[in-house]
């Protein structure tokens, strides 16, 4: 496909170690390193804090406080460590190659963020201005603004880690071995969707939310193949999560850094399902806008 010409250069570093067994072993090793480091980090933290901070453990499960959110989002950096170990020891190449050329990724990231901010501002000014009822204030504006620079950095760490794993490592390794987008686009997106299947939290909407994540993954795979870097995918993912985590979050899930809370929770099946088509629409508009921003 002519639109994917840049993809060849993107996955070129993976060609020398494109054996499927290396991808499978690499993914398992990276997952094990991440889980090990994650458990070690939080175990050490709880041992230092002591049993009197039991409520802090509950905060971490739901992300109800700014500190809990910083720790949860920052822990995704350990995912990058796991992938870095794998790319160096198994594939004999640097982890930076999973992002693509920096002089390409950074300008593309900036261009996509710029256009999505403009679209977001226009959307904010147009009706409807809420989810049927007014947003609930979650944090004083002054405190939110003070935390905002740090919040943005931690969200960037979180989304970059996920993109490096799924659209970087897995997509590159599969594309270096298989030509068909049905493999290098669909398989990483299916893994991404599986990671977002949370029936205990989402209840009846768990499958729909996982489907949303799968479609999102395929659109980000398309962007990456067209751009030749992770810049646009990270930008779209970043703007999406800034909206969902920092601006208007659900009251029962990762709300510690949000300025507002939406007027329904994960348990409100009908209310959440009613807004999922809107989310799908925003996702497609963001993807189209990003494609426009990187058009050369």
């Amino acid at each position: 496909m002519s639109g994917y010409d840049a993809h060849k250069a993107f996955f070129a570093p993976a060609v020398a170690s494109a054996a499927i067994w290396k991808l499978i072993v690499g993914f398992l090793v990276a997952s094990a390193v991440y889980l090990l480091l994650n458990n070690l980090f939080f175990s050490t933290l709880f041992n230092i804090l002591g049993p009197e901070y039991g409520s802090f453990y509950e905060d971490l499960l739901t992300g109800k406080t700014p500190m809990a959110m910083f720790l949860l989002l920052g822990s995704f950096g350990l995912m990058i460590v796991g992938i870095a170990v794998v790319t160096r020891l198994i594939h004999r190449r640097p982890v930076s190659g999973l992002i693509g050329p920096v002089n390409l990724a950074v300008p593309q990231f900036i261009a996509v963020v710029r256009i999505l901010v403009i679209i977001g501002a226009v959307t904010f000014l147009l009706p409807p201005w809420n989810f049927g009822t007014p947003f609930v204030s979650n944090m004083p504006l002054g405190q939110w603004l003070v935390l905002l620079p740090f919040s943005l950095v931690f969200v960037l760490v979180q989304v970059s880690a996920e993109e490096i794993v799924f659209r970087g490592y897995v997509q590159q390794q599969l594309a270096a071995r298989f030509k068909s987008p049905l493999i290098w686009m669909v398989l990483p997106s299916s893994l991404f969707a599986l990671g977002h299947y949370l029936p205990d939290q989402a209840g009846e909407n768990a499958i729909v939310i996982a489907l949303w994540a799968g479609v999102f993954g395929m659109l980000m795979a398309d962007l990456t193949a067209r751009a030749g870097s992770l810049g646009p995918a990270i930008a779209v993912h970043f703007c999406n999560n800034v909206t969902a985590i920092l601006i208007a979050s659900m009251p029962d899930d990762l709300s510690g850094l949000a300025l507002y809370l939406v007027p329904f929770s994960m348990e409100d099946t009908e209310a959440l399902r009613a807004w999922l088509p809107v989310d799908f629409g925003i996702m497609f508009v963001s993807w189209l806008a990003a494609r426009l921003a990187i058009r050369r």
Side-chain angles (χ1 to χ4, degrees):
M1 297 178 67
S2 59
Y4 291 161
D5 289 343
H7 198 212
K8 297 177 183 178
F10 178 67
F11 67 72
V15 172
S17 60
I20 291 302
W21 73 264
K22 289 188 176 183
L23 170 59
I24 296 173
V25 172
F27 189 83
L28 293 175
V29 170
S31 299
V33 171
Y34 165 63
L35 292 174
L36 177 63
L37 293 178
N38 195 62
N39 288 335
L40 180 62
F41 171 70
F42 284 106
S43 296
T44 303
L45 177 64
F46 291 132
N47 287 334
I48 293 174
L49 293 177
E52 64 271 19
Y53 288 91
S55 61
F56 183 62
Y57 176 76
E58 298 298 324
D59 292 338
L60 278 174
L61 292 178
T62 56
K64 287 185 177 180
T65 66
M67 182 54 67
M69 284 299 296
F70 286 149
L71 290 171
L72 288 173
L73 295 172
S75 68
F76 278 80
L78 301 175
M79 191 182 292
I80 300 176
V81 175
I83 285 294
V85 170
V86 165
T87 53
R88 176 56 64 186
L89 297 183
I90 296 180
H91 300 281
R92 305 296 181 182
R93 61 191 183 101
V95 69
S96 59
L98 301 180
I99 300 174
V102 175
N103 61 350
L104 183 64
V106 172
Q108 288 176 336
F109 174 87
I110 294 173
V112 173
V113 168
R114 183 187 299 119
I115 195 169
L116 292 183
V117 168
I118 294 172
I119 291 174
V122 172
T123 303
F124 177 78
L125 294 174
L126 295 176
W129 294 282
N130 51 45
F131 285 77
T133 58
F135 283 166
V136 178
S137 177
N138 184 56
M139 184 186 300
L141 178 60
Q143 180 186 1
W144 184 80
L145 288 173
V146 170
L147 294 175
L148 184 59
F150 306 99
S151 301
L152 292 173
V153 169
F154 279 97
V155 171
L156 183 60
V157 169
Q158 181 250 323
V159 300
S160 296
E162 291 189 343
E163 293 303 321
I164 286 171
V165 171
F166 294 100
R167 262 65 69 181
Y169 179 65
V170 179
Q171 181 168 326
Q172 276 192 355
Q173 292 300 133
L174 287 174
R177 179 65 179 80
F178 303 100
K179 292 182 179 180
S180 174
L182 292 177
I183 297 177
W184 55 257
M185 182 181 290
V186 175
L187 184 55
S189 302
S190 299
L191 292 173
F192 187 68
L194 185 62
H196 287 77
Y197 178 66
L198 305 169
D200 291 340
Q201 298 178 27
E204 296 179 15
N205 290 320
I207 293 179
V208 180
I209 292 174
L211 176 63
W212 184 99
V215 174
F216 180 85
M218 286 190 283
L219 296 181
M220 295 308 99
D222 171 81
L223 272 183
T224 300
R226 293 177 183 278
S229 85
L230 290 184
I234 292 175
V236 173
H237 203 159
F238 175 71
C239 291
N240 176 80
N241 284 21
V242 164
T243 301
I245 295 175
L246 303 187
I247 298 178
S249 175
M250 291 187 178
D252 54 353
D253 186 51
L254 306 179
S255 61
L257 294 172
L259 179 61
Y260 296 107
L261 300 178
V262 298
F264 55 81
S265 68
M266 293 283 283
E267 297 178 354
D268 296 327
T269 303
E270 294 302 322
L272 181 59
R273 187 169 294 178
W275 276 96
L276 283 175
V278 178
D279 277 344
F280 272 103
I282 293 173
M283 174 172 60
F284 277 101
V285 169
S286 298
W287 167 64
L288 291 172
R291 285 183 56 174
L292 178 63
I294 63 174
R295 181 179 294 175
R296 292 189 291 270

